[in-house]
Structures are given as structure tokens and as C-alpha cells.
Amino acid sequence: MKITSIQARAIDCGFQTQKLQTSRVASPMSRWPQFGENRSSWMWPSKKVFVRIESDDGLVGWSSTNGGEVVAMIIEAHLSRLIAGTTVTDIADVWDQMFNSLLPNDRSGFSMMAVGGVDIALWDLQTKTKGVSLVTALGGGAADLPVYCTTTQPGAHHNSDWWGLKAAMPYGPDAGHHGFQGNVDCMGAFRDAAGSGGRIMLDSFMSWDADYTLRFAIAAAQHDLYWNEDPLPPYDKDGLRRLKADLGGSTRLALGNFSFTRWDCAELIREGLVDILQPDVAWAGGITECLRILDMAKAADVPVILHNTCEQPWALALAAAKQTDPVVEFVDRGEGSPLYGLMGAAPVFKKGRVMVSTDISGNHPPATIAHQVADHSSAKLLKEV
């Protein structure tokens, strides 16, 4: 397939108005009072980035990723000139070209979101060229998958069929004893909602330290926590080593939301720091890189649960086609959230499971978004600047 056009546009889809953004959730920024009450007060560029790639036969591949104007600029000002006008026969080779072109100056999450956005759109274009669904292109897989739910409202999911319930923790160490007890009470509410035999997990969003995490594990031990997700900043490897040694396996560590390449994931696996690996497909370089990550984790016998799976049809396809006994994540953003259906029909849930689409039409954003992106060519962008 010969690429004739690559476009990217950052569009506000209401992310900052979602429940998780407007609730009190612990974060690396919550130590400062002006940023502690809600994540929307400080969150990185939060517009969704829609990527549109057109081939010379008139077919269009779509994807969406995060990172707002920063990621859109990387795609339009840099990555597009590497690919536009070329004939793509090997998407993995294109991935390597994009990644290596960014090495001299950027290996951040923003750059990998940009690479991931282009990669997913290329896969979508390829499946449309072949007239098959992504699940079929990846080898075929399950028709539905078990789901765990991330929510700030455990009472709304009392005795539900979800595989498990995950809490976004409200407080960090700077909230003192009141915050600490609030976190313990939060897990008590989740235990009540899940029942005595249900799985409950927590996401500390890089806001805790090793001492706090260990104290919390003791204080909340009666609630039987299945995992603690990203309790420490990714750079605190010494802290993670201490947690692995001192927790003694009583609580699993779920890491990898902020691992943006296979090399980030390999370090966690190699050092034995991760019990459940959780990369995000749109953040960690797209489908091509996540296939590599899945292969690596399988070889090391480390389970993978792809981050925020149910908002990403390509992540559901990967889980269905490439994982044994997969579990996926649904983020409860409240009823009617536009984020559920940005790349096609909203996911369908039944008895704690999600249906996996085999739609051969692939990714297709709402018409209003498609029009905005198609009307936003690189030439027009440069002219406006």
C-alpha cells in the first residue's frame, strides 16, 4: 500500500470532564494543594489525537491516541514526512524507522504515543486493504473476554459480574493520617461491593513511596488486595525492589502503564519487579510494539493485562488473538461518555464480559471528528502557523 496522506489532529472529546478526572485521585501532583482535588487541574495535554492515513487506492486507516497538540505536532511535523509517498510492505520496518528517527532527541511517552498512533492507523489501513478484521489479521481469537472495572463508585457495582473491581486511590502520603485512613476505608467499600470472594485492586498512580505502600499493605490486609498498581514513580527501582522483598507476595505489583517500549517492560521483567504487566497499546508504540511486548512477557511467564482496553478496539483484538486466558480493563466514566465510542461502536458488556468486534470495516471515528481531521491537512496547518 502506498501512503498518500498522513494527518493528525488534537480534538477535545471531553476527557477532562470524566468522573475520574473530576474526583479526588492521588497522583504525583497531589502533594501540592492546588492540584490535589482533581486530576484535570494539572493533567498533561488531554485532547485525543486522531490519526488519518490514506493510501493511493482511496482507503483510509484511523487511530486515536493521547497527548494532545504535542503528539499531533510530532506526527504532522516529523513522522509524516518519513512515510508519506512510500509504499509500506512491512509495518514493523516502518515502526523501526519512526522510533530510530526520534532517538536523538526524544524517548518520552509523547513520542511513543505518536509512533503508536501512526502504527495503529497503518494496521487499520492494512486490514481494510485485505478486507479482514484486525482479530482475523492477528490470527483469530475469542468472541468475548472477562473484564475488570476501574471505578470511583464501588456501590454502583455491588455484587456485579466483573472479574474484579479496581479503586483509584484518593490520597497520597502528604494527606497524613486522615488520608491514610481514607484509603483503607476506600478499600473497605470496594470489598463490600465485590463480596468476600471477589477480587479488588487499587491504583496508586505513582503517588506513594515504599514506606507508605508497605504500611498500607499491613493496614488493609483484611481486605485481601489482589494487586497494587503503579504505587511508585517508574524511576524508583530501589523502592520497587524493596516492595518485592518486603511484601513477600502478599500483594501483587501491577506495573507498566508508564512503560513506553519493550525495553522499559524488559527491565521490569528481568529484575522480577512486576507480577502483572499493564502497557497501554496507544502509549507503548502501538500494535507492532505490543506484539513484541506480549511475546516477551509470555516467554517470561508474566501475565499481561492491557491498560484501558475497552476504549481501544485494537487492544481488545490483541487480547483476544494473542493472549491465553486474557482479562481486560473497563474504565467506568459514567453513562453516556463519548470516550467509549471514538473508534466505532461502544463496547457491549454482558455478565462481566465484553464482546470482541470482528467488523471488517475497522476503525471509524464519528463523522464530525472524521470531517475535522480530513479538513486539517499538513499544508493547512503550516499555513496557519
Side-chain angles (χ1 to χ4, degrees), residues 165-236:
L165 293 176
K166 188 176 80 180
M169 300 310 293
Y171 298 102
D174 294 278
H177 175 74
H178 167 77
F180 186 89
Q181 189 58 49
N183 285 336
V184 175
D185 293 343
C186 176
M187 295 317 301
F190 272 76
R191 172 49 65 206
D192 289 343
S196 60
R199 299 179 187 86
I200 59 171
M201 301 82 76
L202 62 138
D203 182 354
S204 312
F205 198 54
M206 306 179 288
S207 63
W208 294 1
D209 56 34
D211 286 337
Y212 190 96
T213 304
L214 291 168
R215 282 201 302 126
F216 184 82
I218 294 171
Q222 74 272 24
H223 299 312
D224 188 22
L225 308 180
Y226 193 77
W227 78 55
N228 189 330
E229 184 172 320
D230 292 315
L232 312 183
Y235 57 75
D236 189 4

Side-chain angles (χ1 to χ4, degrees), residues 42-64:
W42 65 268
M43 186 65 84
W44 58 79
S46 60
K47 291 180 181 179
K48 285 286 186 178
V49 178
F50 292 85
V51 183
R52 180 185 188 275
I53 300 182
E54 188 171 352
S55 66
D56 58 354
D57 58 8
L59 294 175
V60 175
W62 285 98
S63 75
S64 68

Side-chain angles (χ1 to χ4, degrees), residues 35-328:
F35 301 123
E37 289 303 316
N38 59 74
R39 285 197 284 190
S40 63
S41 64
W42 65 268
M43 186 65 84
W44 58 79
S46 60
K47 291 180 181 179
K48 285 286 186 178
V49 178
F50 292 85
V51 183
R52 180 185 188 275
I53 300 182
E54 188 171 352
S55 66
D56 58 354
D57 58 8
L59 294 175
V60 175
W62 285 98
S63 75
S64 68
T65 184
N66 294 75
E69 293 86 348
V70 175
V71 168
M73 181 190 68
I74 295 171
I75 294 171
E76 288 226 332
H78 179 64
L79 297 180
S80 64
R81 67 188 179 90
L82 299 180
I83 303 166
T86 64
T87 298
V88 176
T89 57
D90 183 351
I91 295 177
D93 186 59
V94 174
W95 193 98
D96 290 344
Q97 291 177 39
M98 291 191 291
F99 179 79
N100 281 281
S101 76
L102 289 163
L103 276 178
N105 51 30
D106 193 9
R107 294 177 296 282
S108 72
F110 285 133
S111 66
M112 295 310 294
M113 289 174 189
V115 170
V118 174
D119 179 82
I120 294 165
L122 285 173
W123 273 89
D124 186 47
L125 182 56
Q126 177 178 261
T127 60
K128 289 171 178 172
T129 300
K130 294 180 177 180
V132 299
S133 69
L134 180 57
V135 172
T136 299
L138 291 170
D144 57 57
L145 302 170
V147 182
Y148 83 82
C149 176
T150 296
T151 185
T152 58
Q153 306 172 87
H157 302 279
H158 186 76
N159 288 331
S160 64
D161 293 318
W162 300 120
W163 182 90
L165 293 176
K166 188 176 80 180
M169 300 310 293
Y171 298 102
D174 294 278
H177 175 74
H178 167 77
F180 186 89
Q181 189 58 49
N183 285 336
V184 175
D185 293 343
C186 176
M187 295 317 301
F190 272 76
R191 172 49 65 206
D192 289 343
S196 60
R199 299 179 187 86
I200 59 171
M201 301 82 76
L202 62 138
D203 182 354
S204 312
F205 198 54
M206 306 179 288
S207 63
W208 294 1
D209 56 34
D211 286 337
Y212 190 96
T213 304
L214 291 168
R215 282 201 302 126
F216 184 82
I218 294 171
Q222 74 272 24
H223 299 312
D224 188 22
L225 308 180
Y226 193 77
W227 78 55
N228 189 330
E229 184 172 320
D230 292 315
L232 312 183
Y235 57 75
D236 189 4
K237 296 299 189 299
D238 286 341
L240 289 173
R241 294 183 191 103
R242 183 180 167 201
L243 292 184
K244 286 298 294 182
D246 292 356
L247 284 172
S250 60
T251 302
R252 300 163 183 84
L253 291 181
L255 310 173
N257 281 196
F258 306 98
S259 294
F260 299 116
T261 67
R262 80 195 88 146
W263 295 283
D264 291 342
C265 294
E267 183 178 12
L268 295 174
I269 292 172
R270 182 173 58 251
E271 292 204 32
L273 300 176
V274 60
D275 297 300
I276 300 161
L277 189 64
Q278 295 195 320
D280 186 297
V281 180
W283 299 0
I287 295 168
T288 298
E289 186 71 345
C290 282
L291 284 169
R292 294 160 171 163
I293 291 169
L294 287 171
D295 285 345
M296 177 178 61
K298 183 177 181 180
D301 198 26
V302 173
V304 176
I305 299 179
L306 297 171
H307 177 245
N308 198 11
T309 336
C310 290
E311 283 179 18
Q312 303 181 55
W314 43 85
L316 286 174
L318 273 170
K322 293 298 182 181
Q323 291 190 262
T324 303
D325 299 323
V327 176
V328 298

